[in-house]
Amino acid sequence: MNKIQNASEDLLNAGIKPSYQRIKIYEFIIKNLTHPTVETVYKKLSKEIPTLSRTTVYNTLKLFEKKELIRSVNIEENEMRYDGQKHIHGHFKCTVCGEIFDFNYNYNDLEFSGLDDFVLNQTDVMIKGICKKCRIKNS
Amino acid sequence: MNKIQNASEDLLNAGIKPSYQRIKIYEFIIKNLTHPTVETVYKKLSKEIPTLSRTTVYNTLKLFEKKELIRSVNIEENEMRYDGQKHIHGHFKCTVCGEIFDFNYNYNDLEFSGLDDFVLNQTDVMIKGICKKCRIKNS
DNA sequence: ATTCATATTTGTAATGGTTACAAAATTAAA
DNA sequence: TTTAATTTTGTAACCATTACAAATATGAAT
Ligand SMILES: [Mn+2]
Ligand SMILES: [Mn+2]
Ligand SMILES: [Zn+2]
Ligand SMILES: [Zn+2]
């Protein structure tokens, strides 16, 4: 049922004016689902947009997140990462290679106690460990 | 079955030499279960230990975490928090008042897919929303 | 087309949490 | 007491992020 839309339409639907920079940043995020940092987005897009500013990337990604177009991933302790996938899923960080993997879990299986009358807006499940590749490499 | 121990014994059991500063920092963390920041620990203990250095607090809390005496909580995006409670529990951050609440969930209810042959070392469940007090206040 | 107001982008400076580092102080062994 | 090892301290550096104002782009009104 997902209507295929282009970047401009997505931005307009979120109430964001689709400027050139915003379209390019949005397209990068939804096409590169590797949880890139601001610096990664900036470096890659700078080749295409030589005048691009880091501040624009920071502000634009923050704007996208506020408008719920994308999500931020905070598993890295020092640097923010962004995620173009909006469906509920968890993140696994390999402490050896640093890569961040997606995984699925059933949100409805989670029962919380101690949060009566709280409003729950966003749930994040984060796991740290060793990925398959690194586990085998260091046999 | 938990044997009641004093701070020195806990530190020794973890392989940490119980210096004066380490004992005080450890006691503060296990007695103040409000997920304090480094700055909070430093400010409070400075009254008791006027010569205390921020660096000591940073290094000591990092050491405690590595030796699995305490846990770090990363739900605050800019500042690290520390937690003297080691049992598995989740963290809720109120986006209005900023307070961080503990909640319980059943770890065994969580079934992951996509992590076959991965080594899982640490799981964190974090929720953002509005706490009861703030929800009522802003009726 | 020109003027004007608004929105967006840009570059630089400042902020703030954290880390690096070496000197000072403490502890323990010889 | 010497000596070496450990711990603590204070300062400087680091670096991701934010603040801010100038520059640029957009769009409507005249
Ligand atoms: Mn993801
Ligand atoms: Mn806790
Ligand atoms: Zn790995
Ligand atoms: Zn609250």
Side-chain angles (χ1 to χ4, degrees):
Chain A
M1 268 310 181
N2 288 332
K3 192 169 70 173
I4 295 173
Q5 299 182 324
N6 59 33
S8 279
E9 285 178 37
D10 284 357
L11 295 177
L12 285 170
N13 287 342
I16 298 172
K17 189 185 292 184
S19 73
Y20 178 67
Q21 287 87 342
R22 285 169 174 171
I23 290 172
K24 290 298 183 183
I25 292 170
Y26 180 70
E27 285 178 341
F28 185 90
I29 285 292
I30 59 175
K31 286 174 183 168
N32 296 83
L33 301 176
T34 54
H35 316 97
T37 64
V38 168
E39 192 64 18
T40 302
V41 177
Y42 170 72
K43 286 260 180 64
K44 287 289 173 60
L45 287 182
S46 285
K47 296 170 184 170
E48 217 179 327
I49 316 169
T51 63
L52 183 65
S53 166
R54 263 189 199 82
T55 302
T56 299
V57 181
Y58 274 104
N59 293 338
T60 301
L61 290 173
K62 223 168 221 291
L63 174 67
F64 289 173
E65 188 195 8
K66 195 174 67 180
K67 296 305 180 82
E68 296 184 343
L69 268 179
I70 67 175
R71 288 194 56 177
S72 62
V73 181
N74 202 211
I75 194 168
E76 191 86 27
E77 65 285 340
N78 54 335
E79 225 172 339
M80 184 66 82
R81 292 173 174 274
Y82 287 94
D83 193 341
Q85 295 195 64
K86 277 182 292 182
H87 72 92
I88 292 180
H89 65 282
H91 290 108
F92 177 99
K93 179 179 180 182
C94 176
T95 52
V96 177
C97 66
E99 192 172 341
I100 293 174
F101 300 84
D102 293 317
F103 65 84
N104 288 108
Y105 68 93
N106 193 340
Y107 178 77
N108 296 321
D109 286 348
L110 269 176
E111 283 182 19
F112 315 118
S113 65
L115 297 179
D116 298 325
D117 301 313
F118 281 44
V119 179
L120 279 56
N121 287 329
Q122 186 188 346
T123 301
D124 283 297
V125 179
M126 305 186 171
I127 303 181
K128 290 187 178 180
I130 304 173
C131 78
K132 183 177 182 178
K133 196 170 51 184
C134 289
R135 189 180 61 76
I136 293 173
K137 193 181 295 174
N138 306 18
S139 54
Chain B
M1 266 316 178
N2 289 331
K3 194 168 69 176
I4 295 174
Q5 299 182 327
N6 59 32
S8 278
E9 286 178 36
D10 282 358
L11 295 177
L12 284 171
N13 286 342
I16 298 172
K17 189 184 291 185
S19 71
Y20 179 66
Q21 287 87 341
R22 285 169 175 171
I23 290 172
K24 289 297 183 185
I25 293 170
Y26 179 70
E27 284 178 342
F28 185 91
I29 286 292
I30 59 174
K31 287 175 182 166
N32 296 82
L33 300 177
T34 55
H35 316 95
T37 64
V38 169
E39 191 64 18
T40 301
V41 177
Y42 170 72
K43 285 261 181 65
K44 288 288 174 60
L45 287 183
S46 285
K47 296 170 184 170
E48 217 178 327
I49 317 168
T51 63
L52 184 65
S53 166
R54 264 189 198 81
T55 303
T56 299
V57 181
Y58 274 105
N59 292 338
T60 302
L61 290 173
K62 228 173 219 292
L63 174 67
F64 290 172
E65 189 194 6
K66 195 174 68 180
K67 296 304 180 82
E68 295 183 343
L69 267 179
I70 66 176
R71 288 194 55 178
S72 61
V73 181
N74 201 211
I75 194 168
E76 191 85 25
E77 64 287 338
N78 54 335
E79 225 171 338
M80 184 66 81
R81 293 174 174 274
Y82 287 93
D83 194 341
Q85 294 195 61
K86 278 183 292 183
H87 72 91
I88 292 180
H89 64 282
H91 290 108
F92 177 99
K93 178 179 182 183
C94 176
T95 52
V96 176
C97 66
E99 192 172 342
I100 292 174
F101 300 83
D102 293 318
F103 65 85
N104 289 107
Y105 68 93
N106 193 340
Y107 179 77
N108 295 322
D109 285 348
L110 271 176
E111 283 181 19
F112 314 118
S113 64
L115 296 179
D116 299 325
D117 300 313
F118 281 44
V119 179
L120 279 56
N121 287 330
Q122 187 189 346
T123 301
D124 283 296
V125 179
M126 303 185 173
I127 304 182
K128 290 188 178 178
I130 303 174
C131 78
K132 184 178 182 179
K133 197 169 49 184
C134 289
R135 189 180 61 77
I136 293 173
K137 193 181 296 175
N138 305 21
S139 54

